Amino acid sequence: MVSPSQTARYSALIAGIIYGKKDMVKNLKPIAAEERRIEEEEKKVREEQERIAKALAEGSLYSLNPACQIFSLHMHTTACCTVSSKRIQ
């Protein structure tokens, strides 16, 4: 036979577990959203760095600076690209 005090103790334990889970989810939701936002920003920076590294590895300096593409079409020189690539490194 189960005593009333034992029933009350287990009922309080189960109620505490349920309340704790709801409270935990409520408190962790904004933290998780902030972490996702930060991760998205870091991903953008990482992708930009990978793009620059890939362009440097291929030797395609024109893809680093869009102004160089326009300038080189008219002047047939890569002076601005060499300057911008030195700034990047």
Side-chain angles (χ1 to χ4, degrees):
M1 186 107 171
V2 179
S3 69
S5 64
Q6 203 174 21
T7 304
R9 192 170 96 200
Y10 282 109
S11 297
L13 176 67
I14 292 171
I17 291 171
I18 292 171
Y19 176 77
K21 179 146 177 79
K22 286 182 182 180
D23 190 50
M24 181 181 69
V25 169
K26 182 180 77 174
N27 289 334
L28 292 180
K29 205 174 230 185
I31 295 170
E34 179 68 15
E35 287 176 352
R36 281 192 299 270
R37 186 188 64 77
I38 291 170
E39 179 62 31
E40 189 66 32
E41 290 175 2
E42 289 173 353
K43 181 180 177 185
K44 289 177 185 178
V45 170
R46 189 173 52 249
E47 287 174 351
E48 181 67 18
Q49 289 173 345
E50 289 172 358
R51 184 187 70 79
I52 290 171
K54 182 179 176 184
L56 287 174
E58 292 175 351
S60 174
L61 296 176
Y62 294 120
S63 64
L64 294 177
N65 188 354
C68 291
Q69 295 172 351
I70 297 168
F71 184 72
S72 65
L73 289 174
H74 295 294
M75 304 302 272
H76 301 291
T77 182
T78 59
C80 69
C81 294
T82 56
V83 172
S84 66
S85 66
K86 288 179 184 174
R87 274 188 253 150
I88 292 171
Q89 294 173 357

